[in-house]
Amino acid sequence: MTQKKKGIRIASFLFALLVLFQTVDVSAAQQTLPSGLNGDQLEEEIDSFVEEHEDTTAGMAVAVFDNSGELVKSYYGYVDKENQIPVEAESVFEWGSTTKLLVWVSVMQLYEQGELDLNEDIRTYLPEGFLTNLSYDTPVTMTNLMNHNAGFQEVYTDLFVKDLSGISSLEDVLKVHQPEQIYEPGTVAAYSNWGVALAAYVVENVSGMSFSDYVHQNIFEPLGMEHSAVYMDLSDNSWVQEKRQELQCYTTTGELIPDCYYYITMYPAGMCTSTLDDFETFARALLDENCVLFEKSETRAEMFTPTAYFGDTDIPSNCHGFWMIPFGVQTLGHGGNTAGCSSYLLLDLEDGIGAVVMTNQSGESIYNSEMMGLIFGSYDRSNYTAENELPSGIYRPGRTVRKGPFKILSMSYCTVEEDEAMLWMVDEIDGLQKVVYSYGDYLEMPTAVMVLELGLVLLWLAAFLFSLISLLVRLIAFIVRKIRKKEAAVNHLRKWSMVAALLQIVSMILLVASIVCVSAYLRWNTYFWIFVVFGILTIAMIVMSVYGIVKNRGKQLEIRQKVFHVFTIGFLVVTIANILYWNLFMFWM
């Protein structure tokens, strides 16, 4: 063959390759999405969508892809608005709860290897006596943890912290903050960060390595995710740890959240931090039928099979930890929020379309929810269910606290109302209505319980106001006597009522202080004393009540004095009842 002919053939071959690559790129760009848009149109729509919400946008990165390649990858806004540092390829964002997908992939890998049975009692994989918080004989399984229906109540303390002193491992965190089991396993979906962290601890026990090391070795490294960290302080990737310092965080209206860098102690539930490229790499691996994270394609297929449903329908609500999120099509994935970031990972398995989005805004929904409609279409309830009306009444989220000093935070009553953007089903538990949503159930409140709780709190507020007013009146009388230079007669009941009023006022101040402390993510060891004091106050008020009854017996008092005395004792009892009912003395929990 002459050199000339060789050159012609090589040139033809290179030209064919070029045409092939161009064809692939064009076909990807022209891929029709569930929303009806193609890749080129989607990019224009996203640009317009961002421009429409520019006033409230901080920073956002988004990627949309199919099995052949990327359809859209775009960066908008700033990682630091004040210093005008733009979002770019090397910017890092926090995944938040989307990190949980790393746990479920890890679990499925061990399941594939025969090291883990998803339906075995979870205690099989834990140290003897590790769980001290179980209230039911029904065993908790890994499937329960994946479905968030193991029955555990919410954990409010020490999820976000500013320092990690005294915390050395995931095991430490789980032991110290074991939540009460308030539902029988399998009956109520109550989203649980602690339950996911427990699943990660099982991964540690079965694999013999820390969860962070396991993820690096079995997920990050096989996928080439070099710009991802998952440990509490991000020390497992120094590059990410440094880049995270550049990230500023904002509210949903775009206002700066000062000092929003928190460590997540139950880190497998929400600490992963990475670039958009790495986030997309993980999502694209899951979209691929021959996912490199598993030895068998059947394992991935099983991971995406339903493990929980919307009521008694055949509509999946959860697939081994992946929530079903309804748009124009059924998507599987997970959203995430931290103190300053939000994210979403969604997969349309039927059409082979995936999307990931990351923002540096806490609780963000415009991009993490609304914008997803541009990709996957709008939700149409008629696509999923026949007639099914939402019931009337008052409901409480399954994700709550019913035992321990934060029980009062369970007063998050609500009505369930029609929302065209949400899928719901009505079910029943113990004779009461249960409304099933993605990410958790809502339970009907028995009227008697709601009246009791509202009545207790309203009476407690009345006790506080009564005590405050009575002290102010006595203070004014004292000042007047001082001005007039008159001495008051010794009156033991007056002193008793003043002490009773002070105790009630202090109890209300402590309640407010405890809520402020937990809302500000303060470490539990800095304010647990509040609940110790509640216990002491309860004993003191019981003594004061008995003293007031005994001391007044047989005494002749004016009507006004009798009324005041009865109200004082009554409100003391009300305050005691509130502390006992709301478990405010349970500092050990």
Side-chain angles (χ1 to χ4, degrees):
M1 185 183 291
T2 64
Q3 286 294 108
K4 184 176 180 180
K5 287 184 177 179
K6 267 188 181 178
I8 292 173
R9 290 198 174 187
I10 292 172
S12 299
F13 175 71
L14 292 174
F15 179 75
L17 281 178
L18 179 61
V19 170
L20 176 62
F21 286 133
Q22 285 179 334
T23 303
V24 169
D25 183 62
V26 170
S27 65
Q30 298 305 314
Q31 167 75 41
T32 301
L33 301 167
S35 63
L37 302 174
N38 62 37
D40 289 337
Q41 293 169 331
L42 176 63
E43 189 165 15
E44 293 175 4
E45 288 293 323
I46 290 177
D47 286 343
S48 298
F49 189 84
V50 174
E51 186 176 350
E52 181 183 346
H53 297 92
E54 186 176 11
D55 291 343
T56 58
T57 299
M60 190 269 286
V62 60
V64 185
F65 48 87
D66 63 11
N67 288 315
S68 64
E70 288 178 346
L71 304 177
V72 172
K73 177 176 278 185
S74 300
Y75 304 91
Y76 302 91
Y78 302 93
V79 295
D80 184 340
K81 289 171 61 178
E82 287 67 33
N83 293 304
Q84 295 289 286
I85 302 175
V87 177
E88 55 188 8
E90 291 193 341
S91 301
V92 299
F93 295 87
E94 296 167 343
W95 292 22
S97 286
T98 311
T99 305
K100 292 176 173 65
L101 299 184
L102 297 174
V103 178
W104 308 137
V105 169
S106 302
V107 165
M108 293 304 293
Q109 287 176 335
L110 294 174
Y111 162 77
E112 181 181 62
Q113 296 163 22
E115 299 290 335
L116 196 57
D117 184 337
L118 302 182
N119 297 311
E120 180 65 62
D121 189 328
I122 205 71
R123 288 174 291 188
T124 304
Y125 308 105
L126 298 170
E128 185 70 27
F130 182 85
L131 291 181
T132 61
N133 58 340
L134 302 183
S135 305
Y136 295 88
D137 294 331
T138 305
V140 173
T141 67
M142 182 60 74
T143 302
N144 290 138
L145 297 180
M146 289 173 146
N147 292 336
H148 292 263
N149 62 11
F152 300 122
Q153 69 178 14
E154 179 64 296
V155 175
Y156 288 116
T157 54
D158 290 359
L159 179 60
F160 296 111
V161 300
K162 278 296 183 184
D163 70 270
L164 293 172
S165 58
I167 300 173
S168 59
S169 67
L170 180 59
E171 179 182 7
D172 290 342
V173 177
L174 291 170
K175 277 185 176 179
V176 171
H177 297 292
Q178 289 197 38
E180 293 297 306
Q181 190 181 41
I182 57 175
Y183 310 114
E184 183 176 359
T187 61
V188 176
Y191 192 86
S192 175
N193 289 304
W194 191 89
V196 176
L198 180 64
Y201 182 55
V202 169
V203 171
E204 290 191 343
N205 281 282
V206 173
S207 68
M209 62 180 76
S210 71
F211 181 74
S212 174
D213 288 344
Y214 181 92
V215 167
H216 276 273
Q217 184 173 317
N218 295 280
I219 299 178
F220 291 170
E221 290 176 13
L223 295 179
M225 295 170 63
E226 297 179 353
H227 299 120
S228 299
V230 71
Y231 191 60
M232 297 181 199
D233 60 356
L234 308 181
S235 58
D236 52 317
N237 188 314
S238 57
W239 184 88
V240 173
Q241 191 178 42
E242 184 176 346
K243 289 292 291 185
R244 174 59 184 83
Q245 299 295 334
E246 299 177 4
L247 184 69
Q248 295 297 323
C249 300
Y250 302 84
T251 65
T252 53
T253 57
E255 297 174 1
L256 179 68
I257 303 175
D259 193 23
C260 70
Y261 187 5
Y262 288 90
Y263 304 118
I264 298 177
T265 57
M266 289 184 276
Y267 73 92
M271 192 66 202
C272 191
T273 304
S274 80
T275 59
L276 177 68
D277 282 345
D278 275 16
F279 196 31
E280 179 190 3
T281 296
F282 176 64
R284 289 183 67 176
L286 297 176
L287 190 65
D288 188 347
E289 291 183 2
N290 298 309
C291 180
V292 299
L293 296 174
F294 303 111
E295 296 176 5
K296 305 171 187 175
S297 60
E298 292 83 2
T299 306
R300 172 194 173 273
E302 183 166 357
M303 182 172 69
F304 290 133
T305 58
T307 48
Y309 295 86
F310 278 90
D312 59 0
T313 72
D314 60 356
I315 303 172
S317 62
N318 195 296
C319 297
H320 292 90
F322 288 73
W323 296 101
M324 196 286 279
I325 314 297
F327 286 93
V329 292
Q330 290 187 10
T331 65
L332 291 177
H334 213 297
N337 282 287
T338 65
C341 289
S342 305
S343 75
Y344 230 132
L345 183 156
L346 292 172
L347 303 174
D348 168 13
L349 300 180
E350 184 174 340
D351 298 301
I353 304 293
V356 289
V357 61
M358 313 174 90
T359 75
N360 56 339
Q361 293 178 262
S362 178
E364 203 284 322
S365 62
I366 291 174
Y367 298 116
N368 285 282
S369 180
E370 291 181 35
M371 187 177 71
M372 296 296 100
L374 299 176
I375 304 163
F376 300 108
S378 299
Y379 168 74
D380 180 359
R381 182 172 173 77
S382 64
N383 290 342
Y384 298 101
T385 181
E387 294 181 6
N388 190 14
E389 294 184 0
L390 276 171
S392 59
I394 304 299
Y395 287 75
R396 186 182 349 243
R399 183 185 184 183
T400 189
V401 170
R402 294 302 293 163
K403 293 181 182 179
F406 294 108
K407 181 181 176 182
I408 198 166
L409 297 180
S410 68
M411 289 189 69
S412 51
Y413 310 143
C414 64
T415 57
V416 284
E417 299 178 354
E418 182 73 41
D419 187 335
E420 294 181 357
M422 294 181 68
L423 174 59
W424 47 262
M425 292 290 165
V426 179
D427 203 353
E428 190 175 289
I429 178 173
D430 297 332
L432 295 172
Q433 299 275 19
K434 177 177 75 170
V435 180
V436 181
Y437 289 101
S438 295
Y439 288 99
D441 299 342
Y442 282 70
L443 309 178
E444 183 182 6
M445 282 282 295
T447 303
V449 174
M450 186 182 68
V451 170
L452 170 65
E453 293 186 350
L454 286 174
L456 278 173
V457 171
L458 289 174
L459 285 172
W460 196 5
L461 289 172
F464 170 75
L465 291 174
F466 175 82
S467 300
L468 187 62
I469 291 170
S470 67
L471 281 182
L472 287 174
V473 169
R474 293 191 184 283
L475 177 62
I476 292 171
F478 173 78
I479 293 172
V480 169
R481 285 196 302 271
K482 285 295 182 183
I483 292 173
R484 295 179 178 179
K485 297 181 180 180
K486 289 184 178 181
E487 293 295 328
V490 177
N491 188 324
H492 292 294
L493 286 180
R494 182 184 295 123
K495 291 182 178 179
W496 165 82
S497 64
M498 290 177 65
V499 173
L502 281 171
L503 291 175
Q504 292 176 80
I505 290 172
V506 170
S507 70
M508 184 59 70
I509 292 172
L510 288 176
L511 175 66
V512 173
S514 66
I515 295 173
V516 169
C517 287
V518 73
S519 300
Y521 307 129
L522 299 184
R523 289 287 294 273
W524 167 251
N525 59 13
T526 65
Y527 65 91
F528 82 94
W529 60 267
I530 290 176
F531 305 104
V532 176
V533 175
F534 265 121
I536 297 171
L537 284 176
T538 304
I539 296 171
M541 283 188 282
I542 291 173
V543 171
M544 291 295 292
S545 300
V546 173
Y547 176 86
I549 294 171
V550 172
K551 197 71 176 176
N552 188 44
R553 183 179 298 172
K555 286 199 173 185
Q556 296 297 320
L557 299 174
E558 297 177 5
I559 295 296
R560 177 178 59 82
Q561 291 175 317
K562 283 184 177 180
V563 171
F564 182 79
H565 189 74
V566 169
F567 269 88
T568 300
I569 292 176
F571 282 137
L572 272 173
V573 172
V574 163
T575 304
I576 293 167
N578 270 281
I579 293 174
L580 295 178
Y581 182 83
W582 298 114
N583 303 162
L584 292 168
F585 60 94
M586 293 185 180
F587 64 90
W588 59 89
M589 292 180 65

